[in-house]
């Protein structure tokens, strides 16, 4: 790898200042599991790296009222070990568990996953369903961008070059008083060390008596240039009873939003079929977590 | 750009100069002569280069060298005692036939050690998870998994 | 005979200590003083004329010591058909063609120089399948054939044809005939240690190769040929093998990069190292031979096979390595797996502009067995027979001579099948299936079985199948064994130590092995064909007998007894003063006297006219090279086995999960059960990978998944529970009864899995790997078919 300057600021302010003075050629590095690989493959050729690993305020999760503030520098292993996240956001834990390998999860961060904006990024669909808000800090101040507006294309986000993702603000799903649970499923060729052929997250809210789905959020990855919310499915689920038939109907609604393509990794027709299977199964798993058990196995 | 850094390597303090674009793997192999750290892919995809940094197994081929400033790093060279007495995980690998060509072995052992340090009595599933990033072409993993179980059983 | 001390023990590997401590030195770890680093420029097209190469910018780069192209080097023909050159001249035929090479003071500079080389190409129409390459108007990939005559087509002049008995008669006699077309694809060896070499000339122009070859002596020949072509006819070559980070057949040929290292070392006068990256390993390390296989088999009313006919079309890629010769081993199962009286086998290899193939564990056998054993299940179904019973009826038996001329000495095939049947709970499963109890929701369970035959007592694929060995004793009764065999991780040196200690009568710790050096160790044909333990074990027994003869002669003089009254056990000489039990080995308790061997040796060494003991032997097994009709007794013993699996198929996703895997192997005798199990586990999982996930994907001749994230070798999370079942048949030809077992593990996996999938959901996947897409598509087609035939059912 080419030689490059390396900076490890101890605070966010220092990081932003560095970025401003170093300009275009400098890039942020969190876990580096993406940056280092890209640099080695010479897909990027940074002149300087600004490591965010020394900035304590970017790490860890804490509750602030009804919002969980997840530091962008939190590693996937930390997410897996966090009881708050396990309790409130199992959909995110599901995703972290099946990412890369133990070694990769020990260093890779959720912020890095968001900012690298790969169509297969495994935390992205859960964060979309959770309606997370990205806190982007720059020399100019803080900007809040909802997850749904973050992804512009493969590896392109709405963040400006000088901005650091500091936190993901995640409203606790159950905060509005409705029981809620989510689930994430990933289809890949291997049980580990693999990118998603397709992945899908669903977060469901039930009404007071549990007889209806009050609200639904569904998002899928590798079904288009960015991870996508699937409004047809959400609509089909909303207001319907939490049954297998409802899920079935939701799978039939799919289609319009996605632009699934053939690749050497997987044929498009198969992804299309699997989108339906994953929706059915993730929906069933989410409902199971809400105490509604359907005759649908994962 | 070179920078002098200090960290603990296998229990000893080291001062060394590292470059901005350098990986920990390069630093360990090229500057520090620790050839037990293997490169199987250079892209985080095989685990041959696994080392333990502050208790966590990671792939040194995609980890920036300068990040170990102030950290404690363990490589395979740091496991056996100076008189050659093996670490229990090493011992278990030898006894259980977990070694064939041996290229993946240092990485496997370090992943296993990092697991057992945190979780002395793991389930088989947890062992497989700890080793999932360490590819092995020779063994089919079975004897490696058995070795880790045996090492765990020998723990207090 | 006293009980065996070491043979049969679960002893840890001799080299494990160095490997668990990180001390083992692989080629990746080695450097030489003053060493330069070489890099290769590969072709930018799959088929193109090279119109010009401009290396001026590369030469001008500081740190660059040499830049070579095809124009700068002498003619060094490489490859089985001598159709390859280290650096290509005039034309490239694959995306992995070596076009230019650089030696520089660092790998980075060498890489930078490579990128400064400008090549002007004129692209030619490229051919990416044998069918395209056989079209009448297809351009020629090689203009000349092996004999230097103008080529007429892209077909290799390598007609593999085996005819045994009368297939037409067998077909006429058959009550049932099943046929099918099957295919396998490119598979990478995926050795965790990437390839590399250091070539170094001394001032006498003798060459040392720091190498990772599995064939040091044949490689030495190839290097000597190259030196001759380079105008160095009197140079010597020494091959020093380093610790090898995985073999599996990938190091049975000499490769272009090795000759490039030699050429660069010669050009610069410095040691030159070539070290592959993983990307390069996927691009430029030849693969397993892909095959398209048409098979038909027939059986009579009782289920006895009456004939087998197999036609294969092989995509040879742009050049020949050993892949082109895999039909020679594909013939083994084609002619001899089960008793089949009439056999016809034809295989054709065709040049294409794809990557080319070499040897890989099983050498064509896994491919052929996939077709045969899948088709056996098809035939059993047609005959209305239970697939296991069907196999038992046809199983080979000891004493058989197969149509190809293989003399089956010991054969545990029937036992292996039986044990797998029991282990699987086959009958219970079949009953459960009748009741539909194997299906729950969208998960269906199925069981499948496949057998194997492989060479187990060497294989005479070269003029000699021999192995040289020297045994040397020192003053302390310690033995050094010098062997030509190569340790590739399988544990050969450990086995050899066990056998040598046993056969000579020493303690294990008093036996050391010296290997991996052609200047010191005697000749061996190579670590291939599962032969190392068999051949070097027999060599050790033969050499030990010679050494014992010398020891006893010496000691008899000193002790004033007859040599027949002496024995050696655990380093102790046992002496019988009273006569009796002639020629019988002594037990310590029966001896009248015992003394350390060392004492006798020292006395001999330090007396006037001193003597020290060395024995040497060359063991060449009594097997035969196949004749012009490809017949003969290729091996002294044949290994058999059966693999059984239980799978669960997800009918919504097409995913296949292996719940259980039983691997029964007739190994003759388990010399070291722990290492043996290691071969079975490793081989079986490699077979599972071949069956389910592994394929090198090519797009217009270019590897598109050349990394470990996209090439799906299985992980510890995917690893299936494998139960080894060891069947011992005590082969008279083997060392202590052992037969070879290095390769067989991976042979039956794919057909066993394919058969289990069929058993579970009634679809037969004929093309490897069995991806979820293929399973799901087949399930949908089956459903469509049912709906077409019985609309009411849908
Ligand atoms: C072997 C392997 C397996 C993998 N498996 C998976 C997988 O299963 N699923 C998956 O989704 N991904 C996978 N990845 C991809 C990658 O590891 C993940 O995307 C990871 O989450 C990236 O996090 P990181 O902290 O390492 O990011 P980095 O590499 O540090 O950064 C990634 C990008 O984000 C930017 N960035 C990082 N943090 C910030 C921040 N706080 N503010 C602004 N910009 C920032 C960087 O500048 C860079 O452009 C894998 C990678 C490897 C090497
Ligand atoms: S060498 Fe680092 S993961 Fe393969
Ligand atoms: S022992 Fe060879 S790769 Fe694991």
């Amino acid at each position: 790898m080419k030689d490059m300057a390396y900076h490890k600021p101890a605070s966010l302010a220092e990081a932003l200042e560095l970025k401003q003075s170093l300009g275009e050629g400098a890039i942020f590095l969190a876990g580096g599991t993406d940056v280092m690989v890209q640099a080695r493959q010479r897909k990027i050729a940074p002149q300087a790296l600004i490591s965010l690993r020394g900035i304590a305020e970017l790490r860890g999760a804490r509750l602030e009222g009804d919002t969980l503030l997840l530091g962008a520098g939190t590693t996937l292993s930390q997410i897996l070990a966090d009881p708050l996240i396990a309790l409130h956001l199992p959909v995110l834990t599901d995703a972290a568990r099946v990412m890369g390998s133990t070694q990769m999860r020990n260093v890779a961060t959720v912020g890095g996953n968001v900012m690298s904006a790969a169509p297969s990024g495994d935390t992205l669909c859960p964060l979309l369903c959770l309606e997370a808000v990205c806190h982007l800090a720059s020399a100019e101040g803080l900007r809040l961008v909802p997850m749904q507006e973050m992804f512009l294309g493969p590896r392109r986000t709405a963040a400006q070059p000088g901005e650091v993702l500091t936190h993901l603000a995640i409203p606790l799903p159950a905060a509005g008083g409705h029981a809620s649970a989510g689930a994430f499923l990933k289809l890949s060729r291997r049980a580990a060390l693999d990118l998603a052929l397709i992945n899908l997250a669903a977060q469901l809210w039930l009404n007071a008596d549990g007889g209806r789905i009050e609200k639904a959020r569904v998002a899928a990855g590798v079904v288009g240039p960015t991870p996508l919310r699937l409004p047809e499915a959400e609509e089909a689920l909303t207001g319907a009873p939490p049954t297998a038939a409802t899920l079935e109907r939701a799978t039939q609604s799919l289609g319009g939003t996605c632009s699934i393509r053939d690749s050497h990794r997987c044929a498009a027709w198969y992804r299309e079929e699997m989108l339906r299977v994953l929706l059915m199964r993730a929906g069933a798993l989410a409902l199971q977590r809400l105490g509604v058990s359907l005759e649908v196995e994962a | 750009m070179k920078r002098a850094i200090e960290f603990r390597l296998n229990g000893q303090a080291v001062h060394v100069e590292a470059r901005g674009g350098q990986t920990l793997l390069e630093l360990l192999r090229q500057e520090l002569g620790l050839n037990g750290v293997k490169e199987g892919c250079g892209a985080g995809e095989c685990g041959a280069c696994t080392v333990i940094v502050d208790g966590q197994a990671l792939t040194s081929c995609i980890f920036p060298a300068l990040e170990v400033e102030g950290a404690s790093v363990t490589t395979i060279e740091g496991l056996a005692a100076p008189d050659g007495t093996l670490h229990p995980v090493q011992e278990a690998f030898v006894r259980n036939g977990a070694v064939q060509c041996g290229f993946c072995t240092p990485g496997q052992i370090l992943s296993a050690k990092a697991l057992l340090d945190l979780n002395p009595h793991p389930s088989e599933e947890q062992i497989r998870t700890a080793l999932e990033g360490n590819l092995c072409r020779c063994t089919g993993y079975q004897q490696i998994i058995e070795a880790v179980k045996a090492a765990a059983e020998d723990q207090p | 005979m006293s009980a065996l001390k070491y043979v049969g023990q679960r002893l840890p590997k001799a080299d494990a200590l160095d490997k668990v401590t990180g001390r083992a030195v692989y080629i990746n770890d080695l450097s030489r003083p003053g060493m330069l680093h070489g890099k290769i420029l590969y072709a930018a097209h799959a088929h193109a004329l090279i119109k010009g190469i401009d290396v001026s910018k590369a030469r001008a780069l500081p740190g660059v010591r040499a830049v070579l192209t095809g124009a700068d080097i002498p003619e060094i023909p490489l490859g089985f058909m001598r159709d390859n050159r280290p650096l290509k001249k005039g034309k490239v035929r694959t995306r992995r063609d070596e076009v230019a090479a650089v030696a520089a003071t660092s790998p980075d500079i060498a890489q930078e120089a490579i990128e400064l080389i400008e090549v002007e190409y004129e692209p030619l129409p490229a051919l990416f399948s044998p069918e395209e390459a056989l079209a009448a108007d297809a351009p020629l990939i090689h203009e000349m054939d092996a004999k230097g005559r103008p080529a007429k087509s892209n077909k290799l002049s390598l007609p593999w044809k085996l005819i045994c008995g009368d297939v037409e008669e067998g077909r006429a006699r058959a009550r049932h005939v099943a046929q099918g077309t099957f295919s396998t694809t490119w598979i990478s060896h995926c050795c965790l240690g990437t390839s590399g070499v250091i070539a170094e000339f001394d001032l006498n122009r003798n060459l040392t190769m720091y190498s990772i070859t599995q064939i040091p002596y044949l490689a030495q020949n190839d290097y000597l040929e190259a030196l001759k072509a380079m105008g160095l006819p009197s140079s010597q070559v020494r091959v020093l093998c380093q610790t090898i980070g995985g073999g599996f057949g990938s190091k049975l040929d000499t490769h272009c990069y090795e000759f490039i290292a030699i050429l660069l070392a010669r050009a610069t006068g410095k040691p030159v190292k070539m070290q592959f990256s993983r990307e390069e390993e996927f691009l430029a390390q030849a693969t397993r031979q892909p095959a398209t296989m048409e098979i038909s088999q027939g059986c009579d009313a009782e289920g006895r096979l009456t004939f087998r006919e197999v036609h294969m079309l092989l995509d040879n890629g742009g050049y020949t390595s050993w892949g082109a010769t895999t039909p020679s081993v594909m013939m083994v199962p084609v002619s001899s797996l089960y008793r089949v009286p009439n056999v016809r086998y034809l295989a054709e290899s065709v040049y294409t502009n794809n990557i080319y193939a070499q040897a890989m564990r099983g050498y064509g056998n896994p491919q052929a067995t996939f077709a045969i054993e899948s088709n056996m299940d098809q035939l059993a179904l047609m005959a209305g027979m239970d697939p296991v019973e069907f196999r038992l009826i046809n199983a080979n038996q000891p004493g058989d001579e197969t149509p190809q001329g293989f003399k089956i000495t010991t054969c545990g095939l029937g036992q292996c099948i039986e044990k797998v049947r029991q282990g699987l709970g086959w009958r219970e499963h079949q009953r459960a299936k009748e009741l539909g109890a194997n299906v729950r929701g969208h998960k269906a369970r199925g069981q499948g079985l496949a057998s194997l035959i492989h060479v187990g007592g060497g294989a005479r694929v070269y003029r000699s199948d021999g192995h040289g060995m020297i045994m040397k004793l020192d003053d302390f009764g310690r033995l050094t064994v010098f062997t030509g065999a190569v340790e590739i991780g399988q544990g050969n040196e450990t086995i050899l130590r066990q056998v040598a200690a046993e056969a000579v009568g020493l303690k294990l710790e008093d036996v050391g092995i010296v290997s991996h050096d052609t200047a010191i160790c005697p000749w061996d044909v190579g670590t291939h064909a599962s032969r190392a333990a068999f051949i070097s074990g027999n060599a050790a027994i033969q050499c030990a007998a010679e050494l014992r003869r010398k020891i006893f002669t010496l000691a008899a003089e000193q002790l004033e007894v007859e040599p027949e009254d002496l024995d050696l056990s655990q380093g102790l000489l046992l002496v019988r003063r009273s006569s009796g039990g002639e020629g019988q080995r002594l037990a310590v308790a029966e001896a009248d006297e015992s003394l350390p061997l060392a004492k006798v040796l020292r006395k001999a060494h330090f007396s006037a006219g001193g003597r020290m003991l060395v024995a040497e032997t060359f063991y060449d097994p009594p097997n035969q090279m196949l004749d012009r009709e490809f017949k003969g007794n290729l091996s002294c013993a044949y290994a058999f086995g059966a693999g059984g699996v239980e799978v669960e198929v997800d009918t919504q996703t097409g995913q296949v999960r292996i719940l259980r895997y039983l691997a029964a192997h007739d190994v003759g005798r388990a010399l070291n059960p722990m290492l043996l199990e290691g071969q079975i586990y490793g081989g079986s999982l490699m077979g599972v990978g071949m069956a389910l996930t592994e394929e090198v994907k090519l797009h217009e001749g270019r590897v598109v998944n050349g990394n470990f994230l996209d090439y799906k070798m299985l992980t510890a999370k995917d690893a299936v529970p494998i139960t080894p079942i060891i069947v011992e048949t005590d082969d008279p030809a083997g060392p202590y009864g052992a037969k070879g077992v290095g390769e067989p593990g991976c042979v039956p996996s794919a057909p066993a899995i394919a058969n289990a999938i069929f058993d579970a959901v009634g679809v037969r996947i004929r093309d490897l790997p069995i991806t979820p897409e293929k399973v799901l598509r087949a399930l949908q087609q089956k459903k469509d078919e049912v709906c077409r035939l019985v609309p009411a059912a849908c």
Side-chain angles (χ1 to χ4, degrees), chain A residues 40 42 187-195 264-267 269-270 273-274 277 281 297-298, chain C residues 115 279 440 442-443 650 652-653 655 697 704 708-713 718 772-773 776-777 780:
Chain A
R40 184 191 137 95
R42 298 197 292 181
L187 201 81
S188 53
R189 297 247 185 262
R190 284 194 295 216
L193 258 189
D194 214 348
L195 302 179
H264 75 77
R265 294 200 174 94
C266 188
W269 72 265
Y270 185 72
E273 296 264 325
M274 290 310 103
V277 174
R281 293 185 184 183
E297 304 161 53
Chain C
E115 286 157 27
E279 293 85 341
R440 277 193 35 219
H442 52 268
K443 302 276 173 71
D650 183 324
Q652 290 183 339
T653 64
Q655 286 173 318
K697 295 183 184 171
V704 296
F708 278 145
L709 215 46
D710 285 322
Y711 184 93
K712 314 288 183 185
M713 199 173 125
D718 304 278
E773 282 101 316
L776 195 65
R777 186 51 29 117
Q780 289 169 343

Side-chain angles (χ1 to χ4, degrees), chain C residues 209-277:
Chain C
M209 293 293 275
Y210 298 86
S211 158
I212 50 172
T213 182
Q214 291 174 245
I215 45 151
Y217 300 86
L218 298 188
Q220 191 181 27
N221 283 355
D222 290 351
Y223 302 146
L224 282 168
E225 284 295 316
L227 292 182
K228 240 182 259 167
M230 291 163 65
L232 300 172
S234 49
S235 290
Q236 311 271 315
V237 174
R238 179 179 189 182
V239 179
L240 289 172
C241 293
Q242 309 305 304
T243 308
I244 297 179
F248 316 116
S250 64
K251 296 156 176 81
L252 287 180
D253 203 350
T254 47
H255 300 289
C256 291
Y257 79 88
E258 298 165 49
F259 296 93
I260 291 173
I262 296 173
L263 291 159
L264 288 170
R266 179 74 185 130
T268 58
K270 300 274 186 198
V272 173
K273 180 173 190 177
M274 310 294 302
Q275 178 67 61
F276 275 9
S277 66

